[in-house]
């Protein structure tokens, strides 16, 4: 069984509570074995070098959209739509009576009161919508294979790029649901306040894109995705606490909170108040062995079942664990300096009464409470969903309300790494923990720690579970000393990391198994680019890279020959430039190419002679809106006989404009067919000086038109996947579009063959690639204007565009110039080079 499969296995459900860092009734044992009387764990500070887990800071980072499929409708007809907005509900009515295969949840989070995490009517309304979202997923999941489930939170992130706390409820649920429904396109889009039509356009685009995590944020034209960046904590030089400090812990008398409180008591000796639900034992005696206790219960007066006897034993044991923790804390911090207040943390009045009974300002609030009942969405009950979600979320909101006007100096939430990545069976737990992440991001002096496995405390401390974990070898068993060390370090760190997560090698391997490219994104590592072999030099403004062209690796060049030699199409220069520019300015996407100049061919003359080319990129300027990069491609020009003709000769130059997200395309009205005249594509004629075959036979239906020239895109998807699976620019489409510009007749029968020389501007729209265009079910039409286009005009005014069936412009090329090298006879297919043609015409 693979680790990923194990995470979804029904037999391991209870384990998830432990793996996800739950501070709950399933993870509360402060003891070394299963004997009735737990022993206190003595802690010593672990050297940093011995740490098994590394600290990562959660942030939102630019992540350019990469289309991988045709973008579908934002809300298909067979959709069920949930929303809390009357305006959205009025504008959307897509249910047509069929069983839904698509779910859309439109969350209106624009109410100003949602900017902070406090009880309000809008918060209660969104908690109810969150619950309905879970119930809809539970009901519809069996029918969603091949469909989609999208949650869009409008107003869920500020213009400054800070997510609202309530947003985490929906993003956390989606992350786990995406793992439970692998055959369904599950994602969440979070938007600053935006018109509904803009939100739906984004939803459509995201459904056609690849996802690092199934969550994207859209702010001011930027597309952001959460990531976890490795970063050591930096001490701020100020003692975290002192003997006059007051620490209030919501939970923590058992589980991982107990050794952390003990460590603080040992180091700082603060006053400590613990709010908990367990009742303290009425006597000071010790419990017998479990088996002895159960036999006594079964055979004593008022006999009970084995299950009830076990439950009684667990309750008594928990009471004694709390008692022993309090005894140890008072020993370390001093007599009378530790209080335990029993209250239901989900009850706002109980929390308010408890907090009001605590004197003095709170220096540190520890929000530790949590529970876990893991199971897939189809099996999880609504009651369990509420129990898990509400213990964390309601406790947080209740504490915020109870401490209004006396806010703690520092506030620490105990979260889980599952809040970042999601996990099967954890739609509720991931939601609650992502809520804590977002709450810390939007607050001052607050931080959330995303824990993973603790080896010596909680469920993992039992011999049975230790053996099970050792067998699957899926998680890093962190010693208690290391976990305490991480906490104490975080407590004294500079306050610039509101949400952190701790990961070891095994956690990283696990994440890589379910999110293959996510860790590279977290490390800032760009994906491999096929036209960048080696980066020779790179700094903030300049890059020099090399690319070696050979027929062994670039066999597609055999299908694009100029005068008999394999030659890189001039329309591939934007691709080379895009890759160089993206290498210099990561996390932005090319949207415009300007002043493209094709100075000399990039050819391969012999199979045994590689062609090494240098790509240089220079950052001309950059701001929040865009980056502008000048790119040149240089090489030594070598003649067919091997003689070097020139060194560092300029092949191509172009300027690239990059932005955070693709630009939406304008609209175009398709021409009718009146007056069209079919024309043979001259680049496919045998004997032509420019001969294109196989993957480059990318057009069909080429013809003249009273308004200009026309064609239709006809991409070979298998050939594209073989030769060009990783291109950033729809380069084959660009090649076909530019060729349509030559489609006219000379002397009533000859069509010119030309090679491009310059292009003033190329606009890319929608982030499409050749593969996404090949996947479109409706044809892409190609248009070139004007009707009297002259490619050799030194001051051209022409336009070539590729247009989707719905009228969206996908690609636009303006002001092409070229050199005519020959002509093809439309009737016979005969090719004449330009010199022979001119002689024939003169005669």
């Amino acid at each position: 069984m693979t680790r990923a499969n194990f995470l979804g296995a029904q037999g391991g459900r209870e384990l998830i509570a432990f793996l996800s860092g739950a501070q709950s009734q399933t993870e509360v044992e402060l003891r070394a074995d299963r004997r009735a009387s737990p022993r206190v764990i003595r802690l010593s500070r672990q050297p940093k070098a011995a740490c098994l887990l590394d600290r990562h800071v959660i942030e939102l980072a630019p992540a350019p959209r990469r289309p991988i499929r045709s973008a579908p409708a934002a809300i298909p007809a067979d959709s069920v739509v949930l929303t809390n907005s009357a305006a959205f509900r009025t504008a959307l009515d897509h249910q047509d009576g069929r069983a839904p295969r698509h779910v859309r949840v439109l969350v209106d989070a624009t109410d100003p009161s949602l900017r902070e995490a406090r009880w309000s009517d809008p918060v209660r309304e969104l908690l109810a919508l969150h619950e309905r979202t879970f119930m809809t997923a539970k009901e519809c999941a069996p029918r969603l294979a091949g469909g989609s489930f999208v949650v869009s939170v409008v107003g869920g992130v500020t213009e400054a790029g800070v997510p609202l706390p309530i947003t985490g409820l929906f993003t956390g649920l989606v992350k786990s649901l995406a793992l439970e429904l692998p055959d369904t396109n599950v994602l969440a889009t979070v938007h600053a306040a935006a018109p509904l039509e803009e939100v739906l356009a984004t939803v459509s685009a995201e459904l056609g894109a690849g996802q690092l995590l199934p969550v994207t944020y859209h702010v001011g034209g930027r597309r952001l995705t959460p990531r976890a960046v490795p970063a050591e904590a930096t001490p701020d030089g100020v003692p975290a606490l002192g003997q006059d400090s007051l620490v209030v812990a919501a939970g923590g008398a058992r589980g991982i909170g107990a050794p952390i409180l003990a460590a603080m008591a040992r180091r700082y000796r603060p006053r400590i108040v613990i709010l908990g639900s367990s009742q303290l034992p009425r006597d000071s005696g010790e419990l017998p062995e479990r088996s002895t206790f159960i036999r006594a219960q079964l055979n004593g007066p008022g006999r009970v079942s084995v299950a009830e006897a076990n439950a009684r034993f667990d309750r008594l044991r928990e009471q004694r664990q709390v008692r022993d923790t309090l005894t140890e804390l008072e020993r370390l911090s001093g007599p009378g300096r530790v209080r335990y207040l029993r209250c239901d943390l989900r009850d706002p009045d109980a929390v308010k009464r408890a907090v009001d009974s605590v004197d003095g300002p709170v220096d540190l609030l520890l929000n530790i409470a949590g529970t876990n009942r893991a199971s897939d969405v189809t099996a999880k009950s609504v009651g369990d969903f509420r129990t898990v979600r509400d213990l964390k979320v309601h406790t947080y909101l209740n504490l915020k309300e109870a401490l209004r006007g006396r806010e703690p100096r520092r506030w620490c939430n105990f979260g889980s790494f599952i809040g970042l990545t999601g996990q099967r069976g954890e739609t509720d737990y991931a939601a609650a923990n992502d809520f804590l992440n977002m709450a810390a991001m939007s607050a001052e002096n607050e931080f959330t720690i995303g824990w993973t496995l603790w080896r010596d405390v909680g469920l993992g401390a039992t011999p049975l579970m230790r053996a099970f974990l050792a067998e699957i070898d899926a998680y890093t068993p962190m010693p208690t000393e290391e976990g305490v060390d991480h906490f104490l370090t975080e407590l004294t760190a500079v306050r610039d990391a509101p949400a952190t997560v701790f990961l070891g090698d095994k956690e990283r391997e696990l994440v890589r198994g379910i999110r293959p490219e996510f860790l590279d994104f977290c490390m800032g590592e760009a994906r491999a680019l096929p036209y960048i072999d080696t980066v020779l030099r790179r700094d903030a403004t300049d890059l020099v890279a090399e690319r070696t062209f050979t027929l062994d690796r670039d066999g597609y060049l055999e299908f694009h020959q100029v005068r008999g030699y394999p030659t890189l199409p001039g329309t591939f220069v934007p691709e080379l430039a895009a890759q160089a520019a993206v290498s210099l300015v990561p996390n932005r996407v090319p949207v415009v190419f300007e002043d493209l100049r094709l100075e000399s061919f990039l050819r391969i003359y012999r199979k045994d002679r590689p062609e090494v080319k240098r790509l240089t990129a220079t950052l001309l300027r950059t701001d929040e809106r865009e980056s502008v990069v000048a790119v040149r491609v240089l090489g030594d020009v070598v003649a067919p006989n091997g003689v070097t003709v020139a060194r560092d000769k300029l092949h191509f130059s172009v300027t690239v404009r990059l932005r955070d997200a693709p630009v939406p395309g304008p609209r175009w009205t398709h021409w009718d067919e009146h007056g069209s005249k079919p024309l043979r594509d001259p680049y496919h004629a045998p004997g032509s000086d420019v001969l294109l075959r196989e993957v480059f036979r990318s057009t069909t239906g080429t013809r003249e038109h009273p308004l200009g020239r026309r064609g239709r895109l006809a991409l070979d998807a298998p050939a594209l996947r073989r030769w060009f699976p990783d291109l950033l620019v729809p380069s084959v489409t660009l090649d076909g579009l530019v060729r349509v510009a030559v489609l006219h007749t000379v002397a009533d029968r000859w069509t010119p063959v030309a090679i491009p020389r310059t292009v003033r501007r190329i606009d890319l729209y929608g982030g499409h690639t050749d593969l996404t265009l090949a996947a479109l079910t409706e044809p892409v039409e190609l248009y070139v204007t004007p009707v009297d286009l002259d490619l050799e005009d030194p001051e051209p005014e022409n336009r070539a565009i590729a247009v989707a069936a719905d009228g969206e412009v996908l690609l636009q090329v303006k002001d092409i110039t070229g050199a005519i090298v020959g002509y093809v006879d439309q009737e016979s297919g005969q090719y004449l080079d330009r010199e022979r043609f001119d002689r024939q015409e003169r005669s």
Side-chain angles (χ1 to χ4, degrees):
M1 181 182 294
T2 66
R3 296 179 184 183
N5 286 339
F6 159 75
L7 295 177
Q10 189 64 38
R13 289 293 178 245
E14 287 75 17
L15 173 64
I16 307 278
F18 159 62
L19 300 178
S20 53
Q23 289 75 52
S24 67
Q25 62 192 71
T26 57
E27 186 185 291
V28 293
E29 298 180 28
L30 178 58
R31 59 198 193 85
D33 55 30
R34 295 191 65 84
R35 296 186 181 276
S37 179
R39 62 180 176 86
V40 174
I41 298 176
R42 303 294 180 182
L43 303 175
S44 61
R45 191 171 177 85
Q46 181 107 338
K48 274 290 181 187
C51 287
L52 300 176
L53 292 102
D54 303 318
R55 177 182 186 264
H56 296 67
V57 173
I58 301 175
E59 64 179 22
L60 301 184
R65 185 183 299 129
R66 285 199 298 139
I68 60 173
R69 64 180 73 87
S70 175
I75 304 183
D78 51 344
S79 299
V80 58
V81 180
L82 306 179
T83 182
N84 65 314
S85 166
F88 290 173
R89 193 175 297 111
T90 300
L92 299 168
D93 185 13
H94 281 76
Q95 293 176 261
D96 62 358
R98 287 182 285 174
R101 295 185 62 251
H102 306 273
V103 175
R104 298 293 180 267
V105 183
L106 294 168
V107 183
D108 182 358
T110 57
D111 191 292
S113 67
L114 296 172
R115 289 295 181 99
E116 59 179 347
R118 294 190 183 277
W119 280 118
S120 65
D121 288 340
V123 164
R124 293 183 179 89
E125 187 177 64
L126 290 189
L127 284 169
L129 179 61
H130 184 248
E131 192 171 300
R132 294 203 307 275
T133 301
F134 163 76
M135 290 188 290
T136 302
K138 178 180 176 67
E139 179 182 352
C140 296
R143 300 188 296 273
L144 294 181
S148 58
F149 193 110
V150 182
V151 178
S152 296
V153 187
V154 183
V157 60
T158 70
E159 294 292 344
V162 179
L164 273 59
I166 204 75
T167 297
L169 288 174
F170 294 94
T171 55
L173 185 152
V174 162
K175 291 176 209 177
S176 290
L177 189 64
L179 297 174
E180 294 188 28
L181 305 178
D183 298 326
T184 304
N185 198 349
V186 180
L187 59 93
T189 63
V190 183
H191 311 258
L196 180 59
E197 57 269 21
E198 181 180 318
V199 171
L200 296 181
T202 299
V203 168
S204 176
E206 291 298 335
L207 285 167
Q211 306 291 339
L212 296 165
L213 281 180
V215 176
T216 55
Y217 291 77
H218 304 270
V219 186
R222 294 177 295 159
R223 179 183 188 268
L224 309 171
T225 289
R227 70 176 180 183
V229 181
E232 291 189 6
T234 303
D236 64 5
V238 179
L241 298 167
Q243 291 190 29
D244 294 332
S245 299
L246 171 63
V247 175
V248 175
R254 298 179 286 121
I256 68 176
I260 282 176
L261 288 170
M264 286 195 298
R266 180 179 294 106
R267 174 173 295 188
Y268 301 112
R269 302 189 72 241
R271 291 189 297 133
I272 299 174
V273 176
I274 301 176
L275 313 182
S277 58
S278 295
Q279 182 178 346
L280 292 178
R282 296 172 182 167
D283 59 73
S284 59
E286 299 295 337
L287 276 177
E289 293 282 353
R290 180 183 291 270
S291 58
T292 303
F293 178 87
I294 290 175
R295 280 196 299 270
Q297 291 288 304
L298 295 177
N299 298 323
R303 294 181 181 181
V304 298
S305 67
V306 174
E308 175 58 26
N310 267 297
R312 289 183 181 181
F313 182 88
D314 288 339
R315 285 193 296 271
L316 292 172
R317 184 181 59 182
E318 289 169 2
Q319 294 170 9
R320 281 157 175 76
Q321 289 169 355
V322 172
R323 179 198 63 194
D324 291 347
T325 296
L326 297 174
T327 300
E328 176 69 359
L329 292 177
E330 187 162 271
R331 184 186 71 81
L332 294 169
S333 206
R337 298 177 63 80
V338 178
R339 290 178 65 192
Y340 180 79
L341 301 176
R342 189 183 179 204
C343 75
D344 182 351
L345 292 168
R346 291 166 295 192
D347 182 340
D349 294 332
V351 174
K352 182 72 164 58
R353 286 193 300 270
V355 170
D356 286 347
S357 71
V358 178
D359 296 327
V362 179
D363 294 281
L364 175 64
L365 187 287
L366 295 177
N367 179 22
I368 304 175
T371 190
N372 184 285
R373 298 179 183 179
S375 62
D376 288 344
V377 67
T378 54
K380 187 185 295 284
S381 71
V382 176
D384 282 349
F385 180 85
R386 292 190 189 116
T387 296
V388 172
R389 181 198 67 178
D390 291 353
L391 184 53
K392 278 188 176 291
V393 175
H394 284 214
T395 295
Y396 180 92
L397 295 171
N398 291 341
L399 289 168
K400 281 286 182 179
E401 193 64 34
L403 289 163
R404 185 189 292 269
R406 55 179 296 199
E407 282 74 17
R409 184 167 63 88
R410 297 203 73 185
W411 182 304
C412 174
N413 302 301
F414 278 26
S416 166
F417 87 100
I418 285 177
L420 171 68
T421 62
Q423 175 117 286
R424 287 194 62 172
E426 303 283 10
T427 47
D428 42 15
Y429 196 69
N433 282 287
D434 215 15
F435 170 88
L436 294 180
N437 288 334
M438 308 296 178
M441 289 180 182
S442 62
E444 293 185 7
N445 300 323
E446 185 170 331
F447 60 104
T448 296
I449 302 175
W451 297 113
T452 179
L453 165 63
W454 287 57
R455 183 190 66 193
D456 305 314
V457 186
L459 186 61
T462 67
L464 178 64
M465 193 54 66
R466 280 187 175 180
F468 185 49
L469 291 170
E471 180 181 349
I472 64 167
D473 194 31
Y475 288 85
T476 305
M478 181 178 64
T480 302
E481 293 86 350
E482 180 178 332
V484 169
D485 184 81
H486 285 312
F487 173 80
L488 293 175
T489 301
E490 202 69 27
L491 196 60
T492 59
V494 173
R495 300 173 187 181
D496 60 357
T500 57
V501 63
F502 288 91
L503 303 174
D505 290 340
K506 292 176 181 177
E507 285 76 17
R508 283 186 281 270
E509 184 180 346
L510 176 65
V511 172
R512 195 176 296 280
I514 58 176
R515 311 278 188 211
E517 298 180 356
F518 180 63
L519 284 184
D520 291 339
F521 174 63
C522 292
M523 299 296 292
E525 297 176 2
R527 63 190 175 111
L529 297 171
Y531 288 117
I532 302 290
D533 284 345
T534 305
V535 175
L536 303 177
R537 180 170 60 84
R538 174 167 43 200
D539 56 31
T541 59
D542 292 282
L543 173 138
V544 179
E546 278 188 347
R547 172 54 152 87
T548 300
F549 290 84
T550 70
L551 287 182
D552 285 338
R553 70 186 298 192
D554 301 299
Y556 56 87
L557 296 180
E558 292 276 21
F559 309 137
H560 189 281
Q561 297 197 359
V562 177
R563 298 192 174 100
Y565 292 108
T567 304
L568 186 75
T571 52
F572 270 55
V573 173
E575 180 64 41
L576 272 65
Q579 295 191 21
V582 166
S583 295
L584 181 62
V585 186
N587 299 324
R588 280 191 156 174
V589 294
V591 296
V592 175
F593 301 88
E594 294 178 317
D595 194 22
L596 170 63
R597 306 187 69 82
L598 310 174
E599 303 289 350
S600 60
F601 291 117
L602 196 165
R603 289 172 169 166
I604 296 180
Y605 291 101
R606 287 169 32 184
K607 277 194 171 184
D608 61 349
R609 195 172 72 200
E611 294 287 335
V612 181
K613 305 302 174 184
R614 282 170 293 286
L615 291 79
T616 70
T618 301
L619 182 62
L620 301 180
R621 60 185 179 275
T622 189
D623 55 32
E624 290 185 357
R625 182 172 182 266
E626 69 176 6
S627 300
V628 182
V629 179
V631 178
R632 299 195 304 162
V633 180
L634 310 165
D636 298 339
V637 180
V638 182
N641 60 5
V643 175
T644 299
V645 177
R647 296 191 182 277
D648 282 339
K649 184 173 181 179
L650 178 63
H651 284 290
F652 320 114
S653 64
V654 66
T655 299
V656 187
R657 293 182 180 271
L658 304 103
R659 295 187 183 174
D660 289 335
V663 177
R667 311 304 296 180
W668 174 270
T669 301
H670 288 287
W671 299 346
D672 61 32
E673 286 296 329
H674 181 72
S676 292
K677 175 186 175 182
L679 287 179
R680 181 197 299 262
D681 189 321
Y683 293 90
H684 304 154
S688 173
D689 274 352
V690 183
L691 180 61
L692 278 59
R693 298 180 293 120
E694 297 201 17
V695 68
F696 293 110
R697 293 180 69 99
S698 58
T699 59
T700 188
T702 49
R703 54 209 188 272
E704 286 183 299
H705 189 276
L707 299 177
R709 285 95 163 166
R710 291 198 64 173
R712 179 170 289 174
L713 197 61
L715 296 170
D716 184 340
L720 291 172
R721 284 191 289 270
R722 178 187 179 191
W723 295 114
F724 309 122
D726 298 312
L727 299 192
L728 306 177
V729 174
S731 302
V732 176
T733 300
L734 181 60
D735 182 70
L737 176 60
V738 170
R739 291 201 317 274
V740 174
V742 306
L743 291 174
H744 69 284
T745 53
V746 176
D748 293 328
R749 58 183 288 195
W750 298 93
T751 301
V753 174
I755 55 175
R757 287 300 189 194
T758 66
V759 177
R760 183 177 66 82
R761 182 180 174 105
I762 300 170
D763 289 272
L764 307 180
Y765 299 112
H768 286 285
T769 65
D770 288 318
L771 283 171
T772 63
L773 296 180
L776 294 177
T777 56
E778 297 293 326
V780 173
E781 298 291 340
L782 310 175
Y783 300 95
V784 178
T785 60
V787 67
D788 57 347
L789 184 151
D790 180 0
L791 284 177
E792 296 186 318
D793 186 340
E795 296 182 358
E797 290 187 9
N798 54 62
R799 180 186 189 196
I801 60 172
V803 186
D806 64 359
E808 179 188 5
V809 177
L810 308 170
L811 178 66
Q812 178 171 252
V813 184
K814 288 185 175 179
D815 301 339
I816 311 163
T817 70
I820 296 174
V821 297
Y823 295 84
V824 169
D825 187 326
Q826 278 292 314
E827 295 180 6
S828 66
Q830 177 190 6
Y831 175 77
L832 292 180
D833 62 35
R834 183 164 187 170
E835 183 178 351
R836 290 173 58 201
F837 178 82
D838 288 344
R839 286 200 306 268
Q840 175 177 296
E841 287 300 298
R842 284 195 298 269
S843 63

